Amino acid sequence: MTQSGAIDRASTIGDVYDHPLGRDIIDKLLLQLGRSQRWVDNPIVRRLRVRTVERLGHGFTGDGFIDTLLTLLNDVSDSPTRTTGPVTPRWWKEAVFYQVYPRSFADSDGDGIGDLRGIINHLDHLEDLGIDCLWLSPIFASPNEDNGYDISDYRAVMTEMGTLDDVDELIAACHARGMRIILDLVVNHTSDQHEWFKEARRDPDGPFGEYYILRDGDSTTLPNNWASYFSGPAWTWLEDTKRWCMRLFAPGQPDLNWDNPAVRREVADVVSWWLERGIDGFRLDVINFISKREGLPEGNEFVGSLMEFTGVEHYFHGPHLHAYLAELRRDGFQRKGEVKEAPGHDPTAVMIGETPGIGIETGRLLTAENRHELDLVFSFDHLENPGKTRWDDYAYDLNHLKAYMIQRQSRLGSGDWVSLFWENHDNPRMISKVNADPLYRTPLGKALAAIQLLGRGTPFIYQGQEIAAINQDFQNVSDFRDIESINRLSHHHGGPVNIDVVRPGSRDHARTPMRWDDSQCHGFTTGEPWIGFHEHSTGYTVAEQQKDPDSVFTFYKQLIALRREHPALRLGDVRFAYPRRRDYFAWFRELDGESFLTEVNLSARSIRRPHYTAVLRDVLTTGRDEVRLGPYEVRVHRVLS
Ligand code: TEU
């Protein structure tokens, strides 16, 4: 590991940019401001001193910004090394993952809520698609203030979803098909209905009081200015205990105190317990938020306004984050006893961190093979165009995705590996973001699939992507179910409630149930679904897509089969062609003399294909013309010489 020198006011912008976190922060600032990252390549800018920038920018940033920056940078003394050589094969680098949102996947008992038996009943669909590993959003006991992301017992199943026996059956059924299965570990916070929290409330000065972040005070003075992700402050006043309780999300999601070794031990024990049941790993919810800066200082207002949430600089990459992750890997994720790389038996279960706010270099610090922390991260800089947020109503330009993918690959060494995803349960559907015209639904769905499944990295498909799911036509406030949308609606004061403040970005777009067939409740339930369907198109249910040789579903199957057949498409190097050509995205994947070229038109207009001297043979294509690429057209070729 190389050491970064201390950064102070005499350092230059170039020094800051050469620091891993410094680079990520500058890139993030430029992205939020909608500016090009090329700005920092300018030698004059690179030579500017931090103190000069402080003076010049003060009117814009206000007080304290540079101090905030320097504190953050000087917490980090490591730089990720860029290793060379062959990539170590690991099952999770070669796998295609599929995220199930259990509540909305399939309901087997007619209560309108998806359940474990529903998933078991639909494993054929996933096997047919070619999925290697399933990830289930939370299935644990929960009062569901945040749909299971508020867990009241890590060793019990949510009543609506089934029983532990059902989980065992699901694990066995996945493994019998050669698939792995991972769960969602939500341990930045618990539910306020968890026994630990109930105990903490009963006796805040006892051992469980130390499990959470409780502060003395009076009910009218907040301990600090940190904001909650679900509107309002990040604190709740507990009248019974006369304490403030930190909760970055909903009032019913108190943050755990990871600085307490007993909490870290509990979490490792939960992981080991599930590993013994045969689980293959976890996706770790907001795992980069677990280490909060000592003393919980005030958040900088400028950073807060830029990042939408005040206080984030004090916990998105906290002082003990790396140490806590390495410890959890060692104490929880390493399997004891006899182990071999196989479903249910991997020596180390896979550890995938959800890491909002983390950039490319910090992502590498969290995942580099030789650091033994996380295996993969989900970061989000590619999900919105520069200067935009999820709540903005705009057409996403895929050239940003292309630029991000090229930029990120250019920074990786052989010990780094990345995830590839465009959707999850927290984001609107990508097809709708890019181009909502129904004319392009199929070609665009296929273009997004090709970029994801033939790119270099591990693809995570979110349920419904394979049938070209789109955003929902929500019309009324009562159509929404998500706490984030509901709170946002009621916090937008001034005038009547206006659903436009949540319509573009609501997480509910991705949470309406799977459309299995064209019956009344689309084969999801025989009862009343917990969230309504707001889509009436034909041709885009699983049953219809399966029958159609030109469907998005069929194309997913073909791409996954191709990936399975050719190591070059999984572990191979990537080389981008014509990186600066607008609307045209093309890349080679190469390994051991085998080579593929994929071309994608990122726009709804027809574009001319560049000329390649290599001899190409079509493997898979969505168009016919040899010379031009139609709207969102994909062509996959084998490179013969
Ligand atoms: O999400 C964390 C997160 O920061 C966001 O992506 C989140 O969607 C929020 O909207 C930010 O504005 C994770 C889970 O994926 C999400 O479903 C949970 O609600 C959240 O953590 C709390 O557990």
Side-chain angles (χ1 to χ4, degrees), residues 94-110:
E94 301 189 58
V96 175
F97 283 69
Y98 185 99
Q99 181 190 354
V100 168
Y101 194 66
R103 204 177 175 78
S104 305
F105 193 65
D107 170 27
S108 70
D109 60 4

Side-chain angles (χ1 to χ4, degrees), residues 84-87 409 412-414 416-417 454-457 566-576 587-597:
T84 52
V87 170
Q409 278 300 331
L412 304 183
S414 59
D416 302 309
W417 200 254
L454 303 180
R456 186 171 188 269
H566 300 283
L569 295 172
R570 305 192 301 276
L571 295 174
D573 289 339
V574 64
R575 189 160 50 83
F576 296 98
W587 64 96
F588 291 91
R589 297 293 310 275
E590 291 158 343
L591 189 74
D592 298 335
E594 203 181 26
S595 171
F596 289 85
L597 168 68

Side-chain angles (χ1 to χ4, degrees), residues 234 369 456 462 497 582 632:
E369 212 149 50
R456 186 171 188 269
Y462 178 65
V497 174
R582 219 188 130 65
Y632 304 111

Side-chain angles (χ1 to χ4, degrees), residues 590-618:
E590 291 158 343
L591 189 74
D592 298 335
E594 203 181 26
S595 171
F596 289 85
L597 168 68
T598 303
E599 299 175 278
V600 183
N601 179 354
L602 302 178
S603 75
R605 62 189 180 93
S606 146
I607 58 170
R608 184 173 266 285
R609 292 182 55 219
H611 176 69
Y612 289 89
T613 47
V615 181
L616 304 175
R617 197 186 70 217
D618 276 0

Side-chain angles (χ1 to χ4, degrees), residues 146 149 186 189 229-230 249 253 283 285-286 289 309 354 356 380 390 425-426 484 507 511:
D146 186 20
Y149 282 89
V186 188
H189 43 268
Y229 287 87
F230 295 153
F249 293 89
Q253 291 172 300
R283 172 263 193 194
D285 190 64
V286 287
F289 289 7
F309 301 102
E354 188 218 18
F380 299 92
R390 171 154 59 91
H425 64 294
D426 293 333
E484 184 195 45
R507 308 195 295 183
R511 297 178 179 191

Side-chain angles (χ1 to χ4, degrees), residues 429-448:
R429 297 289 187 176
M430 198 61 164
I431 292 178
S432 307
K433 272 163 70 167
V434 174
N435 192 333
D437 186 337
L439 191 63
Y440 301 118
R441 182 169 179 179
T442 293
L444 180 51
K446 292 180 181 178
L448 291 167

Side-chain angles (χ1 to χ4, degrees), residues 316-336:
F316 89 103
H317 188 254
H320 307 292
L321 175 63
H322 296 282
Y324 292 166
L325 289 174
E327 181 184 306
L328 179 59
R329 186 179 189 92
R330 189 192 64 218
D331 296 348
F333 281 77
Q334 275 169 22
R335 256 205 187 78
K336 292 148 197 100

Side-chain angles (χ1 to χ4, degrees), residues 268-531:
D269 287 349
V270 167
V271 172
S272 306
W273 191 85
W274 279 103
L275 255 52
E276 272 166 40
R277 279 200 116 86
I279 281 300
D280 297 287
F282 282 94
R283 172 263 193 194
L284 295 87
D285 190 64
V286 287
I287 201 65
N288 58 316
F289 289 7
I290 56 177
S291 168
K292 276 94 177 167
R293 186 176 304 288
E294 210 184 315
L296 312 177
E298 291 287 290
N300 178 269
E301 296 293 349
F302 171 69
V303 176
S305 65
L306 207 61
M307 305 305 296
E308 291 179 90
F309 301 102
T310 306
V312 39
E313 68 273 24
H314 296 307
Y315 58 77
F316 89 103
H317 188 254
H320 307 292
L321 175 63
H322 296 282
Y324 292 166
L325 289 174
E327 181 184 306
L328 179 59
R329 186 179 189 92
R330 189 192 64 218
D331 296 348
F333 281 77
Q334 275 169 22
R335 256 205 187 78
K336 292 148 197 100
E338 206 185 317
V339 289
K340 55 175 190 257
E341 186 151 296
H345 299 278
D346 299 316
T348 307
V350 72
M351 227 174 141
I352 304 166
E354 188 218 18
T355 56
I358 291 293
I360 297 173
E361 294 304 319
T362 348
R364 295 183 56 227
L365 269 181
L366 289 165
T367 56
E369 212 149 50
N370 56 359
R371 294 177 54 91
H372 309 289
E373 297 178 26
L374 297 168
D375 293 310
L376 290 169
V377 289
F378 295 131
S379 296
F380 299 92
D381 286 345
H382 60 297
L383 289 195
E384 306 302 336
N385 280 168
K388 300 291 184 193
T389 77
R390 171 154 59 91
W391 304 109
D392 292 323
D393 194 5
Y394 73 101
Y396 179 98
D397 179 354
L398 284 170
N399 287 285
H400 171 62
L401 181 63
K402 167 186 162 185
Y404 174 82
M405 288 178 75
I406 295 177
Q407 164 74 227
R408 181 170 65 165
Q409 278 300 331
S410 73
R411 313 246 293 264
L412 304 183
S414 59
D416 302 309
W417 200 254
V418 295
S419 67
L420 295 168
F421 75 99
W422 330 139
E423 292 184 16
N424 62 22
H425 64 294
D426 293 333
N427 283 279
R429 297 289 187 176
M430 198 61 164
I431 292 178
S432 307
K433 272 163 70 167
V434 174
N435 192 333
D437 186 337
L439 191 63
Y440 301 118
R441 182 169 179 179
T442 293
L444 180 51
K446 292 180 181 178
L448 291 167
I451 300 171
Q452 186 175 20
L453 289 160
L454 303 180
R456 186 171 188 269
T458 301
F460 288 78
I461 299 170
Y462 178 65
Q463 68 180 45
Q465 259 182 265
E466 76 279 27
I467 52 168
I470 52 172
N471 280 356
Q472 303 295 304
D473 189 16
F474 295 122
Q475 295 291 341
N476 301 300
V477 168
S478 60
D479 293 339
F480 294 96
R481 294 288 175 277
D482 179 25
I483 179 171
E484 184 195 45
S485 296
I486 291 168
N487 287 358
R488 191 175 160 88
L489 278 165
S490 57
H491 271 75
H492 263 255
H493 297 305
V497 174
N498 175 4
I499 78 165
D500 292 341
V501 304
V502 297
R503 204 184 347 226
S506 176
R507 308 195 295 183
D508 281 335
H509 286 297
R511 297 178 179 191
T512 55
M514 273 293 274
R515 298 169 81 234
W516 294 101
D517 59 39
D518 57 6
S519 65
Q520 204 204 344
C521 278
H522 294 293
F524 166 69
T525 181
T526 53
E528 185 67 33
W530 70 277
I531 182 171

